[in-house]
């Protein structure tokens, strides 16, 4: 209608990638001929939603209201696997496998509201802008590294597996207020105030997994942070516009 308008956009994407490779290398060093043979397979699937919208309302010639919500969501799943064999002059030195898996969800939602009022006097107006945005990243990872070193005095088996739970959250809210007072036809005085508050939460839980599936928390590789920032800013601007 003449007073209300609405417009925006929505997008969706979906991608699946699979990469399979084989690496074969030969190194000649003095009397040694070292061969490395490795097979790799990696898959990644990602999905993304994004929505941006705007609502504008003009009840009369002096007032203006705009509301702009936004939303996005992403999901990423990845899997990787590789195995290798290393030989020295035809004798196996080392052989093993590595695998990793991860999945993450990243939702975000927010919005912005703008209020503007023009007074009857030319150049005099007041505006208020308020915003709120919240985002989150939840990720789970599983990493495995298992190999055997073959030696004349006895073989050495190495098994390392870790699971990680990672959570990152952020909240941001702000408001700004501005008032313009005309002094002459070419100059004006602006008074403004800005408030901003940001809060973060970062968690990382790491667990060592044994052969039987038992888990022990790794304190050295785990953390938990909560912190926030608050700012208040007041300003005065004097402006002159001339040719």
């Amino acid at each position: 209608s003449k007073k209300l308008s609405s417009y925006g956009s929505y997008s969706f994407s979906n991608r699946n990638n699979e990469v399979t490779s084989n690496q074969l290398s030969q190194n000649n060093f003095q009397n040694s001929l070292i061969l490395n043979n490795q097979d790799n397979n990696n898959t990644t699937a990602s999905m993304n939603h994004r929505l941006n919208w705007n609502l504008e309302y003009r009840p009369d010639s002096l007032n203006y209201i705009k509301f702009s919500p936004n939303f996005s969501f992403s999901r990423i799943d990845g899997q990787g696997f590789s195995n290798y064999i290393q030989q020295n002059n035809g004798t196996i030195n080392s052989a093993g496998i590595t695998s990793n898996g991860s999945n993450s969800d990243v939702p975000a939602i927010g919005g912005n509201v703008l209020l503007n009022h023009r007074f009857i006097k030319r150049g005099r107006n007041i505006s208020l802008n308020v915003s709120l945005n919240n985002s989150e990243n939840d990720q789970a990872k599983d990493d495995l590294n298992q190999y055997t070193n073959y030696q004349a005095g006895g073989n050495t088996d190495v098994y390392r597996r870790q699971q990680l739970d990672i959570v990152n959250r952020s909240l941001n809210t702000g408001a700004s207020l501005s008032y313009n007072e005309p002094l002459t036809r070419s100059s004006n005085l602006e008074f403004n105030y800005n408030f901003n508050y940001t809060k973060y939460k970062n968690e990382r839980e790491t667990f060592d997994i044994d052969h039987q599936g038992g888990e022990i928390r790794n304190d050295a590789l785990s953390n938990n942070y909560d912190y926030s920032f608050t700012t208040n800013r007041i300003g005065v601007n004097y402006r002159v516009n001339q040719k």
Side-chain angles (χ1 to χ4, degrees):
S1 65
K2 293 182 179 181
K3 295 183 178 182
L4 179 66
S5 62
S6 176
Y7 56 94
S9 65
Y10 166 77
S11 64
F12 169 77
S13 65
N14 188 32
R15 174 180 292 182
N16 294 293
N17 291 334
E18 181 175 359
V19 179
T20 303
S21 63
N22 173 264
Q23 295 173 305
L24 179 63
S25 63
Q26 175 180 301
N27 300 291
N28 300 306
F29 179 72
Q30 296 180 354
N31 296 323
S32 297
L33 176 62
I34 301 176
L35 295 177
N36 291 282
N37 191 354
Q38 182 171 323
D39 295 313
N40 304 288
N41 183 269
N42 295 279
T43 60
T44 303
S46 62
M47 178 183 64
N48 296 278
H49 297 268
R50 185 174 297 275
L51 173 67
N52 293 285
W53 211 259
N54 295 274
L55 290 171
E56 295 185 12
Y57 180 56
R58 300 178 184 269
D60 49 52
S61 61
L62 300 178
N63 295 287
Y64 172 75
I65 302 173
K66 183 179 181 180
F67 174 53
S68 303
N70 61 80
F71 169 79
S72 65
F73 178 80
S74 300
R75 171 171 291 171
I76 303 174
D77 296 315
Q79 299 289 333
F81 178 83
S82 67
N83 61 75
Y84 78 94
I85 296 177
Q86 184 185 85
Q87 294 178 321
N88 187 353
N89 294 329
T91 302
I92 297 178
N93 269 358
S94 179
I97 63 171
T98 61
S99 68
N100 58 81
S102 65
N103 60 80
S104 61
D105 291 335
V106 188
I109 188 171
N112 187 83
V113 177
L114 172 63
L115 307 174
N116 188 77
H117 174 73
R118 293 192 302 114
F119 294 90
I120 300 297
K121 184 177 180 179
R122 180 182 177 88
R124 178 185 293 172
N125 69 77
I126 185 171
S127 63
L128 174 66
N129 194 355
V130 180
S131 63
L132 176 65
N133 293 282
N134 184 73
S135 63
E136 183 175 331
N137 188 341
D138 293 338
Q139 185 178 18
K141 299 178 64 178
D142 191 337
D143 296 329
L144 171 66
N145 188 6
Q146 182 177 5
Y147 59 92
T148 301
N149 291 326
Y150 297 91
Q151 301 170 349
N155 300 334
T156 302
D157 295 324
V158 177
Y159 180 89
R160 295 193 183 99
R161 183 185 175 190
Q162 285 187 337
Q163 288 184 346
L164 296 88
D165 295 321
I166 303 171
V167 177
N168 295 317
R169 295 186 177 95
S170 66
L171 173 67
N172 178 265
T173 180
S176 61
L177 180 65
S178 174
Y179 174 77
N180 283 281
E181 177 64 31
L183 300 179
T184 64
R185 296 183 63 88
S186 61
S187 65
N188 73 291
L189 196 64
E190 180 197 16
F191 300 91
N192 57 73
Y193 167 71
N194 181 272
F195 167 82
N196 186 267
Y197 173 78
T198 304
K199 182 179 181 180
Y200 297 97
K201 183 178 181 64
N202 301 76
E203 292 182 356
R204 179 188 178 99
E205 297 289 333
T206 305
F207 299 92
D208 295 321
I209 312 299
D210 58 26
H211 288 82
Q212 289 74 34
E215 59 182 40
I216 299 176
R217 187 178 188 270
N218 190 324
D219 295 335
L221 299 179
S222 301
N223 56 54
N224 190 336
Y225 295 111
D226 288 288
Y227 51 100
S228 61
F229 301 93
T230 302
T231 59
N232 293 275
R233 185 173 299 164
I234 299 175
V236 178
N237 299 315
Y238 174 69
R239 291 191 176 92
V240 177
N241 298 317
Q242 294 180 343
K243 293 184 179 180

